[in-house]
Amino acid sequence: MVAIIKCRENEDEYLEFLEKLHQSRRHDWEWSFTRGRDLWSKGRHLLLIASLDAYGRFEVTRVGKSVRRRGAKDQDQQLRVTHVRRLRRPLPLAELLDGLTAAQRRHLVEEGHQSKGTGEAIRALLLGLRPELTEAVQLIEGAIDSWDFGDSRAAQEVALQRDATLGVTRMAGMQAPQLAEWDPPAEELYDDTVPPLFLGMVDRPALEDHLVTHDTRAMLGWLSQETNHVAWREFHEHGRTLLVANANRTAAERLLGCDIIFYNVSRHSLVLVQYKKLDAERGGFYYPNGDRNLAKELVRMRSLDRYAEMQAGPGDEQRLDPSPSWIKLCHPRSVLPHTTEMIHGMYFSRRQFESLRDDARLKSEKTGAVRFGYKNVPGYLDNTLFARLVETGQIGTAGTSTELVRQQVIRSFRGQRNLVFAALSGEEPPQAKRNAQRREAR
């Protein structure tokens, strides 16, 4: 499906602001707007975004993916736009539409979603006039065709692996766009088997041994000792190397969730994130007292936090929070997009999580049960803020040894959790140099 939106003056200025704000940080972003409800059908669209040029004529300046949201007013519809890509050469809208046949023009909607035939013709004309947009359009269309896997536990574990893999690339300050290009399993997934590994579905050559440093090979050895069900990839950006491994040895029906272990080799910094799922059937809440595995998992996290605190020295880097242990609460998914979108979630340090369990605001008025949800939690970190704090070294341990990392890898497996392990190596270049490299990349 294809749609056209004509920006109002304030909307174009706002888009310019969003681009400048988020491109410098290399973060995904979205834009919301409202239009008449009768112009937008249900579903998702390849959106052509048109802006006024200096002569008051509309030209296509960007493409993106639009999704309908809730109604804004009686006759208005709110829409959300993601995956916005700017055209290097704006295309006059009149020039694009001049290529339509008379029959297609009769079905043309000046602003809004197009009929199937007219939309396909506009798409073909767009790529004919601007062939450099082919990759961006394919990415957007890939984002439109999601993998719907229902309530399969094995598929939910793949979704958690995927989210954790995206999370560690963001903690490293990398984009890794190839993670959006992956092939969902063609076969049915069975919960009594070990779930497939997300990195094994990414179309990228396997890591070659000669590319792996001595230290990194030792880290992979820890995984090999525990399981032969492992997939890893290597990413390079700004002179640094990120090794990411997905590993698991337990059937989906016995899995307790996912752990992230992110180790910054240069900074000797460790961050551990444990996933917990909100219960969609119970109003989107997580009930800690009903989680029989939580007590022993918190013991593990407290032990890690205490050990890290004991090993900290006066010469170590300063952190806003030097504790390594974090918890992410997120909704279980039944649909997985072909994009770099992460699962929305709430991040808490282990200490904050335990404090909130005693907070009266988290107790149900009807039953008195403690529950965590978006409706009652007073504060948390989202995906963007958490990843940014890790990337800039504001949270995580200091002075951590590789032996401690090895211990945590093994404890994750013994806790019957699938694992996404990442090791970042290489010195971070000066900010000015990084900015120049980003500009060249754009």
Side-chain angles (χ1 to χ4, degrees), residues 189-223:
L189 299 183
Y190 296 97
D191 294 346
D192 59 354
T193 59
V194 177
L197 297 164
F198 170 68
L199 280 181
M201 302 173 188
V202 178
D203 186 16
R204 184 180 170 93
L207 190 66
E208 298 180 19
D209 285 344
H210 72 271
L211 294 176
V212 184
T213 65
H214 174 74
D215 288 342
T216 304
R217 185 179 290 112
M219 294 175 188
L220 291 175
W222 307 337
L223 300 175

Side-chain angles (χ1 to χ4, degrees), residues 11 73 329 434:
E11 291 175 334
K73 293 187 294 187
L329 300 182
R434 292 183 70 193

Side-chain angles (χ1 to χ4, degrees), residues 165-378:
T165 304
L166 291 170
V168 295
T169 60
R170 294 189 183 186
M171 292 179 208
M174 295 183 179
Q175 295 192 59
Q178 57 268 51
L179 292 178
E181 302 169 9
W182 65 288
D183 294 318
E187 71 281 0
E188 184 179 354
L189 299 183
Y190 296 97
D191 294 346
D192 59 354
T193 59
V194 177
L197 297 164
F198 170 68
L199 280 181
M201 302 173 188
V202 178
D203 186 16
R204 184 180 170 93
L207 190 66
E208 298 180 19
D209 285 344
H210 72 271
L211 294 176
V212 184
T213 65
H214 174 74
D215 288 342
T216 304
R217 185 179 290 112
M219 294 175 188
L220 291 175
W222 307 337
L223 300 175
S224 301
Q225 291 171 11
E226 296 296 320
T227 179
N228 57 8
H229 193 56
V230 60
W232 52 76
R233 295 291 182 270
E234 195 173 49
F235 304 95
H236 301 276
E237 194 171 318
H238 305 311
R240 296 185 297 166
T241 298
L242 178 70
L243 178 78
V244 183
N246 292 173
N248 190 20
R249 65 174 184 175
T250 305
E253 62 187 6
R254 299 196 302 273
L255 274 170
L256 306 178
C258 181
D259 275 351
I260 293 175
I261 295 179
F262 179 79
Y263 181 51
N264 189 322
V265 178
S266 302
R267 287 183 164 179
H268 301 288
S269 180
L270 173 68
V271 173
L272 181 144
V273 182
Q274 187 167 114
Y275 279 73
K276 291 290 183 182
K277 296 177 185 177
L278 299 170
D279 191 334
E281 295 181 359
R282 301 179 68 183
F285 287 99
Y286 169 69
Y287 292 81
N289 295 340
D291 184 347
R292 66 177 183 273
N293 301 301
L294 178 63
K296 59 185 178 183
E297 290 167 348
L298 286 175
V299 168
R300 175 172 71 116
M301 298 173 83
R302 286 191 211 104
S303 174
L304 174 60
D305 288 352
R306 281 197 303 268
Y307 185 89
E309 186 177 1
M310 291 169 56
Q311 298 301 309
D316 291 338
E317 294 184 56
Q318 297 300 308
R319 307 276 194 248
L320 290 175
D321 190 332
S323 298
S325 301
W326 290 76
I327 292 172
K328 179 179 181 180
L329 300 182
C330 56
H331 280 286
R333 302 198 74 165
S334 60
V335 176
L336 204 58
H338 290 229
T339 70
T340 54
E341 293 178 10
M342 292 183 66
I343 301 173
H344 295 298
M346 299 179 283
Y347 292 82
F348 307 94
S349 68
R350 188 269 311 164
R351 191 174 287 108
Q352 180 190 12
F353 177 86
E354 293 193 300
S355 176
L356 286 171
R357 290 182 68 179
D358 297 325
D359 193 317
R361 291 171 291 184
L362 271 64
K363 293 184 178 180
S364 168
E365 295 181 358
K366 294 182 178 179
T367 64
V370 177
R371 55 183 187 169
F372 285 71
Y374 285 99
K375 298 177 182 178
N376 65 346
V377 168

Side-chain angles (χ1 to χ4, degrees), residues 365-393:
E365 295 181 358
K366 294 182 178 179
T367 64
V370 177
R371 55 183 187 169
F372 285 71
Y374 285 99
K375 298 177 182 178
N376 65 346
V377 168
Y380 59 88
L381 300 183
D382 62 11
N383 288 321
T384 299
L385 186 52
F386 177 78
R388 185 64 174 157
L389 289 173
V390 176
E391 179 192 355
T392 56

Side-chain angles (χ1 to χ4, degrees), residues 58 90-100 105 125 129-130:
F58 280 104
L91 175 61
L93 186 59
E95 179 183 344
L96 173 66
L97 300 181
D98 279 348
L100 295 175
R105 279 186 167 276
L125 289 166
L129 294 167
R130 295 292 185 270

